[in-house]
Amino acid sequence: MKRKQNPPAVSAMCQIRSGEQHPFGSLRGYIPLGGGEERIYEQIREAIPVLDAAVEKLVRLAGGFDIQCPSQEATGRLQKFLKTVPCGRGQVGIESFLSTYLDSLLTYGRAVGEMVVSGGRMRAVCWGDVTTLQIRQGENPLDVELCAEDGHGVIRPLPYQELLLFTTLHPEPKHPYGVSMFRGMPFLADILMNIYNTIGINWERAGNVRYSVICKPGENLDPAMAQERGGQIAGEWAKAMEDGKNGMVRDFVAVGDVEIKVIGGESPILDSQIPVRQILEQLISKTGLPPFLLGFSWSTTERMSTQQADLLTSELWALRRTVEPMVEKVCRTYLALEGMDPRVEILWDDISLQDITEEAKANLYMAQAELAKNSANKEE
């Protein structure tokens, strides 16, 4: 037998990539058991485009960052590495990795990545599918171990835990490994899908109507003749409808008391605007985004928009603080492997120009107040 060749070193170190895909679950019958909700959350994003857009906007609004090291040489080399590091799936740059990492963090409540090291140097930073991994407490309560199935179906810890990146979102005592942004949404999402499904069925019936043809024979008509006449009317009506589908216009002529009605035409279609808005308001409030960012104009005044923007800024800074330790770990590991000082500072980009303007106004007002105070003290 021929001996198998060893795979390349870079691929051998990648522990968390898998080609398997998770199928969608069902929104009905959802019971929050503390695990296994990943399929539900994936289906919510697939079924409700507004929530999918909310996750993407939060990821984009989180923005990028710059780094600062004690030495200029270390800063330049680390900046070049972060811009050119491969992330897999055709993506390059740490910001591409961070975008997918944040997407997983918001969707599942936790995210996982890996630093690929070969030949004593960092070659890539890859994200992984957190739904294929299991997490358990390490030797002490402050450590966690990421585990995966081996080739024999046994759950074992991954061998190079120091190269793995792991972040949780809003951990709680009952959910120590993070809470998804979609927690609490399956019940409302199920109701919303029922409304949308009913609207689709009603409009399908409205565009493809069914008719009820009622023939009332005279009192002295023989039952056999009544049956024959009913069959003739049904045949003529069918021909008239078939010609209408083919683009031909044909009149339907009947003798006697014949009544034609649309089946269900008297039933009014329920107004879904109010219940749909009520449900969407609760779903969007869970994301922390102002409604106008998602295209909804729900009685938003200029002052209200400013306050919502301030709240969004605090949400984004909280999200940045959650992933900052992961970014620092990547930078420190690269500098240590390159034999340089591992100290590094993360400098996040400003979220928006509006924040800069408001901060400048606040500094101006404080300076003016301090100047007026000093002038008053001198006069005394």
Side-chain angles (χ1 to χ4, degrees):
M1 297 179 64
K2 294 183 178 181
R3 190 174 184 179
K4 294 184 179 179
Q5 297 181 355
N6 295 327
V10 174
S11 62
M13 297 292 292
C14 195
Q15 312 167 62
I16 58 177
R17 284 295 171 87
S18 174
E20 299 180 359
Q21 297 180 353
H22 242 292
F24 287 131
S26 174
L27 292 176
R28 290 188 175 275
Y30 164 75
I31 301 176
L33 299 177
E37 304 111 3
E38 293 88 358
R39 301 177 184 178
I40 300 292
Y41 299 149
E42 290 173 359
Q43 189 172 11
I44 288 177
R45 288 190 60 176
E46 183 77 17
I48 306 177
V50 172
L51 298 179
D52 185 53
V55 174
E56 294 177 356
K57 288 185 181 298
L58 284 173
V59 171
R60 288 197 297 268
L61 289 172
F65 64 92
D66 199 0
I67 52 95
Q68 183 66 43
C69 299
S71 66
Q72 192 68 24
E73 179 186 0
T75 301
R77 292 178 62 178
L78 181 57
Q79 288 176 341
K80 182 179 180 181
F81 169 76
L82 294 177
K83 289 181 180 179
T84 60
V85 58
C87 301
R89 306 293 193 263
Q91 302 296 312
V92 177
I94 193 64
E95 292 191 1
S96 299
F97 167 80
L98 185 60
S99 297
T100 308
Y101 196 85
L102 284 172
D103 188 285
S104 174
L105 186 65
L106 293 171
T107 304
Y108 305 115
R110 53 190 179 272
V112 65
E114 180 180 6
M115 297 177 289
V116 181
V117 178
S118 176
R121 303 188 65 182
M122 189 180 298
R123 304 295 182 178
V125 181
C126 300
W127 63 82
D129 185 4
V130 75
T131 63
T132 61
L133 302 178
Q134 294 189 14
I135 307 164
R136 70 183 185 187
Q137 184 174 295
E139 295 181 358
N140 63 76
L142 300 179
D143 295 335
V144 294
E145 289 185 345
L146 299 180
C147 309
E149 285 190 11
D150 58 10
H152 305 285
V154 181
I155 304 297
R156 299 183 184 276
L158 296 175
Y160 305 102
Q161 295 287 327
E162 66 277 2
L163 298 179
L164 299 178
L165 307 169
F166 180 67
T167 306
T168 59
L169 180 67
H170 306 313
E172 299 176 350
K174 290 185 179 180
H175 302 274
Y177 304 119
V179 175
S180 170
M181 185 183 70
F182 296 114
R183 186 182 67 168
M185 291 188 182
F187 174 70
L188 294 176
D190 185 21
I191 297 175
L192 187 63
M193 288 300 98
N194 286 335
I195 295 175
Y196 284 156
N197 184 46
T198 304
I199 292 174
I201 294 175
N202 289 337
W203 279 99
E204 182 180 359
R205 291 176 177 175
N208 188 14
V209 297
R210 299 292 187 268
Y211 296 94
S212 172
V213 182
I214 301 175
C215 176
K216 299 179 181 179
E219 296 179 357
N220 299 326
L221 188 63
D222 184 54
M225 292 295 295
Q227 184 176 1
E228 182 180 355
R229 181 176 297 180
Q232 292 175 354
I233 293 175
E236 293 298 323
W237 178 258
K239 292 179 182 179
M241 292 294 100
E242 189 67 27
D243 292 340
K245 294 180 181 179
N246 298 329
M248 299 175 59
V249 179
R250 179 173 177 175
D251 295 332
F252 172 71
V253 181
V255 179
D257 189 359
V258 179
E259 182 181 2
I260 301 176
K261 292 184 178 181
V262 176
I263 299 177
E266 297 83 1
S267 302
I269 298 178
L270 297 177
D271 185 11
S272 61
Q273 183 175 0
I274 294 178
V276 167
R277 175 174 170 174
Q278 290 177 346
I279 294 175
L280 287 178
E281 285 177 348
Q282 297 189 51
L283 295 179
I284 293 176
S285 65
K286 190 67 164 49
T287 65
L289 287 172
F292 63 84
L293 286 181
L294 298 172
F296 297 103
S297 55
W298 292 337
S299 302
T300 301
T301 62
E302 182 178 357
R303 182 175 180 83
M304 185 184 300
S305 300
T306 304
Q307 293 175 349
Q308 290 175 344
D310 293 339
L311 293 175
L312 176 61
T313 302
S314 63
E315 292 283 346
L316 295 177
W317 275 110
L319 191 60
R320 287 176 170 183
R321 289 193 297 269
T322 302
V323 298
E324 186 170 340
M326 177 273 301
V327 178
E328 289 182 349
K329 182 177 180 180
V330 173
C331 296
R332 290 197 305 266
T333 303
Y334 171 80
L335 293 173
L337 291 175
E338 295 294 325
M340 294 182 288
D341 188 349
R343 291 178 297 172
V344 63
E345 181 182 2
I346 306 300
L347 306 175
W348 290 96
D349 298 338
D350 293 315
I351 293 177
S352 69
L353 293 177
Q354 180 180 359
D355 299 328
I356 300 176
T357 304
E358 295 298 329
E359 290 178 3
K361 287 181 179 180
N363 293 332
L364 176 61
Y365 295 154
M366 292 177 64
Q368 291 176 349
E370 187 68 22
L371 180 61
K373 183 179 179 180
N374 294 334
S375 300
N377 293 335
K378 290 180 180 180
E379 291 177 358
E380 293 178 357

